[in-house]
Amino acid sequence: MSMTSPLGTVATGLQAHYATVFVFILVGFVFAGIALGVAKLLRPSNPSPAKQSTYECGEVPIGSSWVRFNVRFYLVALFFIVFDVEVIFLYPWAVVFKQLFPVPGMGAIVFWEMIIFLAILALGLAYVWVKGDLDWVKKLAQRTAMTPAPAAAAEEEVPAS
Amino acid sequence: MDILTALLQGLPGFGGMSDQGLFITGAAVMATLMFTVMALCAIVFTWMERKVAGFIQSRYGPMRTGRWHGWAQAVADMLKILGKEDIIPAEADKGLFVFAPLVVLLGSLLAWVAVPWAPGFVAADLDLGLFFIFAASSMVVIGILMAGWASNNKWALYGAARGAAQMVSYEIPLALATIPVIMHVGSLNTQDIVIAQQGGIWHWFILRDPFLFVAFWMYFIASIAETNRGPFDMPETESELVAGYHTEYTGMRFAFFFLAEYANLFLVSLIAVFVFLGGWWSPIPGLDFAPALTFVIKGILMVFLNMWVRWTLPRVRVDQLMYLCWKVMIPVTLLCIVGSGILMITSGAVG
């Protein structure tokens, strides 16, 4: 990359580029502040208990919403972490692939290394798949086998099957 | 950025400025410009969405405000939102509730840092460009979870949990689909990605090889899910969750979510354009008169495609959504990476 940054003498290109990111964050806050400030000047403000109650379609809310949540969401989060790390490893490989492949003695390593890496991950995906953890709605037999006691956790919807 | 600082130097009053001052002014001008683009997105695309929806459903959409096809409708809505009372529910976690819209807004503003509008015209020419865009836009998920949790509202919490599950799941095929392109370019810099597609429509990555063609559509589907739009709009299903994670938000704070949503819509379309559809290059080689205009027009066409899909297909179920992501799109994108790699080797593109 050409480092023809105007900050040249002050910082190297890399720092200069990320300084722009920092300026963006500041400007974002400034604009949000201006928008909220202008709105504050224009809008009415007369809160009442009814207005400030939690909106649940006109019903009086029963209990807090901060309840135990279905474990499926946490499972998805777990898979995500595994696969997102995979993506992070794939990016550097993808960047150097073209550069390193023609180097004598490196081509086979570069290619097969990633094939093996992907194969291990595909195996992981296959394992999760076979275990049925990718199924959002588990089969009834599977569910009863896995949860001996009736589930107390909040369910988003009762599965049909 | 370099063009901008050069321009600033030419202006009276800026000539004697120090390098740091010039740099910071340039960055601030660029950030303001990007913020304006975001705000324009929200205004232009809400109007466009209503018109497209109207056209697809054989009705007019807005027709009155501003006389000509209701062009001022979105502007009027924005002004109306400014005057709306800011209600914070008594039960809510106030700190998080107030902060969440800012996180969403900042997440989508930051991603604009690395968008390559024209040759040399990018806010920050990051070497990690594309990676940075994905990293910054995943901040939106945190904001949505914060909003849903802080509202202390059952609808909001369900919407947020669904939104988080959906957005993190689809982030994987989204990022995986761009990897074959990175292999072809050998760089994550957004300028380099566009420059590698010079020379007419046949050099755009979507048409380079069959695996890239598939990867583009995988990216497109994942990008619809990332922006929480139909047919993947489970986080905000109006018929079951009122409005999802922003049920309790009013006035300007609601507008921030709205702004971020349409800004993200344009952003994912622009990513599709510069990664797969030739960025600022025109389809016919040698006809590159207005690179930035070409880029924006292609982006708007992609937005139109997004709207077309939204108003044509019915909403999928949550389990179908997860099925599509984990059992179809991730294996297919992994195959695309391997297939594209093998094709690159056999065709001698890397030798």
Side-chain angles (χ1 to χ4, degrees):
Chain A
M1 254 343 77
S2 60
M3 293 294 181
T4 52
S5 152
L7 209 59
T9 51
V10 189
T12 59
L14 193 68
Q15 283 163 319
H17 290 326
Y18 285 98
T20 311
V21 175
F22 184 67
V23 172
F24 261 67
I25 295 176
L26 287 184
V27 170
F29 273 114
V30 168
F31 270 89
I34 291 173
L36 285 173
V38 170
K40 202 178 176 91
L41 291 176
L42 291 175
R43 72 182 184 221
S45 178
N46 36 4
S48 69
K51 214 184 264 177
Q52 284 183 312
S53 68
T54 304
Y55 177 73
E56 290 185 358
C57 304
E59 301 286 330
V60 178
I62 299 171
S64 167
S65 306
W66 295 331
V67 290
R68 287 170 64 193
F69 221 72
N70 199 310
V71 75
R72 290 178 297 194
F73 289 101
Y74 299 98
L75 276 180
V76 168
L78 272 178
F79 302 151
F80 163 70
I81 289 172
V82 175
F83 279 89
D84 213 36
V85 170
E86 168 198 357
V87 172
I88 292 171
F89 281 128
L90 271 171
Y91 268 108
W93 171 80
V95 170
V96 296
F97 174 66
K98 209 172 164 180
Q99 207 182 337
L100 280 189
F101 191 78
V103 177
M106 284 299 279
I109 296 174
V110 168
F111 184 72
W112 287 109
E113 200 183 19
M114 195 38 69
I115 293 282
I116 292 167
F117 180 69
L118 285 180
I120 293 172
L121 274 152
L123 201 69
L125 185 67
Y127 176 76
V128 177
W129 194 329
V130 169
K131 289 290 273 186
D133 289 331
L134 293 182
D135 300 328
W136 197 252
V137 182
K138 290 233 170 78
K139 293 215 168 56
L140 200 60
Q142 246 173 321
R143 282 173 60 85
T144 43
M146 282 170 136
T147 50
E155 291 267 355
E156 190 173 335
E157 60 256 296
V158 179
S161 59
Chain B
M1 196 66 208
D2 298 343
I3 297 174
L4 199 76
T5 38
L7 229 146
L8 276 177
Q9 244 156 352
L11 288 175
F14 284 98
M17 221 170 183
S18 65
D19 278 353
Q20 295 101 310
L22 210 59
F23 175 80
I24 291 167
T25 321
V29 168
M30 204 64 196
T32 314
L33 195 69
M34 291 299 123
F35 207 86
T36 317
V37 170
M38 272 177 77
L40 273 179
C41 278
I43 291 174
V44 173
F45 291 137
T46 42
W47 176 77
M48 184 172 151
E49 177 119 39
R50 288 170 186 189
K51 288 313 248 188
V52 170
F55 176 70
I56 288 174
Q57 297 172 345
S58 202
R59 55 185 173 84
Y60 284 120
M63 284 303 277
R64 307 256 171 145
T65 323
R67 301 256 168 145
W68 185 79
H69 288 269
W71 67 271
Q73 186 62 52
V75 182
D77 286 347
M78 273 292 173
L79 291 175
K80 183 191 76 175
I81 267 176
L82 264 179
K84 286 288 176 189
E85 187 175 352
D86 184 30
I87 299 168
I88 300 176
E91 298 289 310
D93 181 332
K94 291 203 177 50
L96 279 184
F97 188 86
V98 168
F99 195 55
L102 291 181
V103 174
V104 173
L105 193 72
L106 264 189
S108 63
L109 174 69
L110 273 188
W112 292 82
V113 166
V115 173
W117 297 94
F121 193 69
V122 52
D125 198 13
L126 304 175
D127 283 342
L128 274 174
L130 189 60
F131 195 73
F132 178 84
I133 291 180
F134 287 141
S137 54
S138 54
M139 258 174 74
V140 174
V141 184
I142 301 170
I144 285 177
L145 259 184
M146 278 167 74
W149 180 260
S151 298
N152 198 356
N153 176 317
K154 279 129 195 154
W155 307 126
L157 185 61
Y158 286 145
R162 282 183 186 183
Q166 170 180 341
M167 287 172 85
V168 299
S169 297
Y170 277 85
E171 219 170 276
I172 296 161
L174 189 82
L176 283 178
T178 60
I179 284 179
V181 171
I182 306 302
M183 286 159 64
H184 276 269
V185 181
S187 166
L188 284 166
N189 185 294
T190 49
Q191 293 269 324
D192 290 353
I193 293 172
V194 182
I195 289 165
Q197 304 180 64
Q198 187 177 7
I201 193 165
W202 296 107
H203 288 84
W204 296 0
F205 281 122
I206 182 177
L207 295 174
R208 281 280 182 91
D209 74 44
F211 292 103
L212 282 170
F213 186 76
V214 175
F216 168 75
W217 291 108
M218 289 295 131
Y219 171 85
F220 179 66
I221 296 169
S223 74
I224 297 175
E226 272 297 292
T227 46
N228 294 334
R229 288 169 59 81
F232 306 114
D233 56 350
M234 262 69 65
E236 334 176 0
T237 44
E238 58 273 31
S239 47
E240 31 184 308
L241 294 184
V242 188
Y245 54 86
H246 51 61
T247 302
E248 291 289 0
Y249 282 89
T250 56
M252 217 48 215
R253 294 186 210 286
F254 166 75
F256 284 171
F257 283 112
F258 206 67
L259 196 70
E261 193 176 315
Y262 279 92
N264 277 337
L265 168 66
F266 197 37
L267 181 75
V268 294
S269 302
L270 288 181
I271 297 172
V273 168
F274 79 72
V275 174
F276 291 101
L277 300 174
W280 61 67
W281 302 113
S282 75
I284 304 151
L287 279 180
D288 305 300
F289 304 119
L293 191 67
T294 316
F295 186 60
V296 170
I297 288 174
K298 283 185 194 174
I300 291 174
L301 286 178
M302 281 302 294
V303 169
F304 174 72
L305 197 61
N306 245 304
M307 291 177 179
W308 189 357
V309 169
R310 174 177 179 180
W311 293 101
T312 306
L313 298 177
R315 185 180 297 145
V316 299
R317 288 198 315 256
V318 180
D319 62 315
Q320 292 168 331
L321 176 94
M322 290 296 155
Y323 174 89
L324 181 67
C325 177
W326 291 96
K327 295 190 179 176
V328 179
M329 291 178 65
I330 290 178
V332 168
T333 43
L334 285 177
L335 277 180
C336 282
I337 296 173
V338 176
S340 200
I342 291 173
L343 267 188
M344 273 173 79
I345 292 165
T346 51
S347 69
V350 286

